[in-house]
Amino acid sequence: MTSAAFDFASVLAEGLPAAAAKWTGFPKYNFVGGHNDAEQVPVDDLMAAAAAVLAREGSTLATYGLNSGPLGYRPLRDFLVAKLRRDAGIICSADEILITSGSLQAIDLVNGVLLTRGDTVLIEEATYGGALSRFARLGVNAVGTPLDNEGLRLDALEAALESHKRRGIRPKYIYTIPTVQNPTGTIMGEPRRRALLDLAHRYGVPIFEDDCYADLIWDGRRPPALYAMSEGSGVIHIGSFSKSVAPALRVGYIVAGWDVLSRMLALKTDAGSGALEQMVLGEYCTRHFHDHIPLLRRALRAKLEVLMEALSEHFGTAAEFDDPKGGIFLWVKLPDMVDTQRLAQAALAAGVAINPGREWSADAAYGMSRLRLCFAHPASATLRQGIAVLADVCRREFGVPTRSANVERRATT
Ligand SMILES: Cc1ncc(COP(=O)(O)O)c(C=O)c1O
């Protein structure tokens, strides 16, 4: 029997997510996802690293886990021990780091050991869509907390903790992206981090710290990680090489005490994440990571400037946004009558892909007229053209911005 003749629909497991759509190529103006700047992928140095590490240690590919055991390639974990100590103040050993297949697998493992259907987690009002879709799939109640220009608002968080406590609910964790928040681009300062830790400790709720953009702060001034400030107690920290080197490599990591890391390791049943990527990164990062990052930051900042200029030119005051402190995203508020879900559909038909705010928000009403733009991947000229097309679509669908850039320019000169 050929597989085409067999009806798999009749034997599918229950509760599967909707079927994936076939990939039909990137849209012309691609502002979605977390893609990085193609010109900043350090191809030559990665090639040299691959050649060097394979010549030296290639035969270790004969074993699952290389010769490093199930936590991941030891030189890469050693690099992370030194990097996290220098950049984030984290003092940990290589045995407190688990290398994962992207930090998405890290999120799955953290959720796997902590969450059961019906549980509650506290999250940021605007947050990572990949985390939100997981909560929905797991049947977990994700409660949003408002943000300000330093991230989580602790008065609101305390009120939420207190109200859950009164109802006998202990949230399983507080999920936060404290360093270059996705999507808002804010950084939580050290005093607020201290107060957050105190608050979480008082209510007996652990913190899940997702720090995957922390290398991309424009001025490089990274506050100590929550994990560092808590000395590892009550915090799980995850990070990634997706934003600092390349997302297609699919290498992330978890930093946690052995009490909980050992439970995650037992759930990681893939017999190890891709070994070549880990070897190449271990070799590359030890030599080049800290020289590469300032170049990447500069290139990203330049693209952000282009995007902000294009938005001002084509949307005028209709597009409100704060200049993010780093990263690859701009979080934009359009006038209330713009439903960005509908805008996203109409824009896609014109070749422009955007992330509607609702998919990045705990609260649909809050996200409704917001959108997230990833500026890292398109070339500068494409960024400009894409925003011009988006403004045209938005005007056609919603009447804003009221006038095109050209008309406005004519009117003012
Ligand atoms: C906040 C956050 N966490 C985790 C991820 C997952 O990234 P990766 O699996 O590529 O490490 C992303 C990707 O965009 C993200 O924005």
Side-chain angles (χ1 to χ4, degrees):
M1 190 192 300
T2 65
S3 62
F6 187 84
D7 176 18
F8 272 98
S10 62
V11 292
L12 288 178
E14 276 180 35
L16 290 179
K22 274 203 175 142
W23 192 67
T24 53
F26 284 130
K28 185 167 181 193
Y29 306 107
N30 188 14
F31 295 103
V32 301
H35 305 296
N36 218 320
D37 186 340
E39 285 181 15
Q40 300 306 316
V41 176
V43 176
D44 290 343
D45 288 335
L46 288 173
M47 279 166 55
V53 74
L54 280 173
R56 198 177 63 237
E57 301 172 30
S59 61
T60 61
L61 286 164
T63 58
Y64 285 94
L66 306 162
N67 281 343
S68 291
L71 289 173
Y73 183 54
R74 180 65 192 241
L76 182 60
R77 287 186 287 131
D78 287 340
F79 165 76
L80 283 168
V81 168
K83 172 202 183 327
L84 290 169
R85 177 191 285 252
R86 182 179 42 221
D87 297 345
I90 293 177
I91 314 283
C92 69
S93 74
D95 289 342
E96 288 162 89
I97 298 177
L98 170 60
I99 304 291
T100 54
S101 304
S103 55
L104 276 171
Q105 188 184 41
I107 294 177
D108 285 336
L109 293 174
V110 173
N111 287 346
V113 299
L114 295 181
L115 301 184
T116 308
R117 187 165 286 274
D119 276 346
T120 294
V121 294
L122 301 183
I123 63 171
E124 294 164 341
E125 180 174 47
T127 190
Y128 174 43
L132 287 172
S133 55
R134 280 166 168 72
F135 298 137
R137 174 110 208 276
L138 290 168
V140 164
N141 181 28
V143 179
T145 302
L147 299 165
D148 64 15
N149 59 6
E150 253 198 88
L152 269 180
R153 260 184 43 204
L154 297 193
D155 57 336
L157 182 67
E158 181 161 19
L161 285 163
E162 189 54 38
S163 115
H164 281 87
K165 187 177 174 190
R166 269 202 308 275
R167 286 176 283 143
I169 299 168
R170 181 181 177 196
K172 280 300 187 71
Y173 60 64
I174 299 163
Y175 173 63
T176 178
I177 310 164
T179 320
V180 188
Q181 207 267 347
N182 178 3
T184 58
T186 61
I187 297 178
M188 187 183 288
E190 197 170 335
R192 191 175 300 188
R193 286 174 189 240
R194 172 74 52 215
L196 170 60
L197 287 166
D198 287 348
L199 192 56
H201 180 71
R202 226 173 333 122
Y203 283 87
V205 178
I207 292 177
F208 178 6
E209 175 178 47
D210 186 344
D211 237 8
C212 69
Y213 297 98
D215 292 309
L216 303 184
I217 302 174
W218 308 137
D219 65 12
R221 297 214 319 262
R222 175 177 178 175
L226 290 161
Y227 189 91
M229 295 174 73
S230 73
E231 292 168 11
S233 171
V235 180
I236 296 171
H237 176 98
I238 67 168
S240 178
F241 289 95
S242 288
K243 316 302 169 180
S244 52
V245 182
L249 291 170
R250 309 307 304 130
V251 181
Y253 53 90
I254 304 173
V255 188
W258 182 245
D259 55 340
V260 64
L261 199 66
S262 58
R263 308 309 295 258
M264 294 192 256
L265 186 55
L267 269 189
K268 191 175 185 298
T269 52
D270 58 3
S273 293
L276 264 184
E277 294 83 338
Q278 295 185 56
M279 291 169 87
V280 173
L281 269 177
E283 187 77 9
Y284 167 82
C285 288
T286 312
R287 290 163 206 271
H288 302 293
F289 187 86
H290 291 284
D291 296 331
H292 162 68
I293 290 298
L295 304 177
L296 174 61
R297 275 188 209 134
R298 217 170 300 142
L300 292 174
R301 177 72 211 180
K303 286 194 170 180
L304 171 62
E305 301 280 351
V306 171
L307 175 63
M308 292 193 297
E309 258 175 51
L311 281 167
S312 299
E313 181 182 349
H314 294 284
F315 280 85
T317 54
E320 294 171 32
F321 49 84
D322 289 326
D323 187 344
K325 299 270 192 311
I328 55 176
F329 304 118
L330 190 67
W331 184 234
V332 180
K333 168 81 177 74
L334 293 178
D336 288 345
M337 74 275 239
V338 180
D339 173 351
T340 51
Q341 198 100 31
R342 194 149 76 71
L343 175 64
Q345 281 160 13
L348 196 56
V352 186
I354 59 167
N355 286 123
R358 244 184 286 175
E359 292 170 13
W360 255 254
S361 306
D363 169 8
Y366 164 84
M368 155 111 165
S369 56
R370 291 179 159 86
L371 68 146
R372 192 189 74 158
L373 298 170
C374 176
F375 53 81
H377 191 61
S380 294
T382 314
L383 280 172
R384 279 194 211 96
Q385 287 161 12
I387 295 302
V389 176
L390 183 66
D392 280 344
V393 173
C394 194
R395 186 179 310 105
R396 194 184 67 219
E397 297 289 319
F398 300 98
V400 286
T402 44
R403 291 194 288 173
S404 75
N406 287 339
V407 172
E408 234 176 45
R409 261 207 301 274
R410 255 186 265 129
T412 53
T413 49

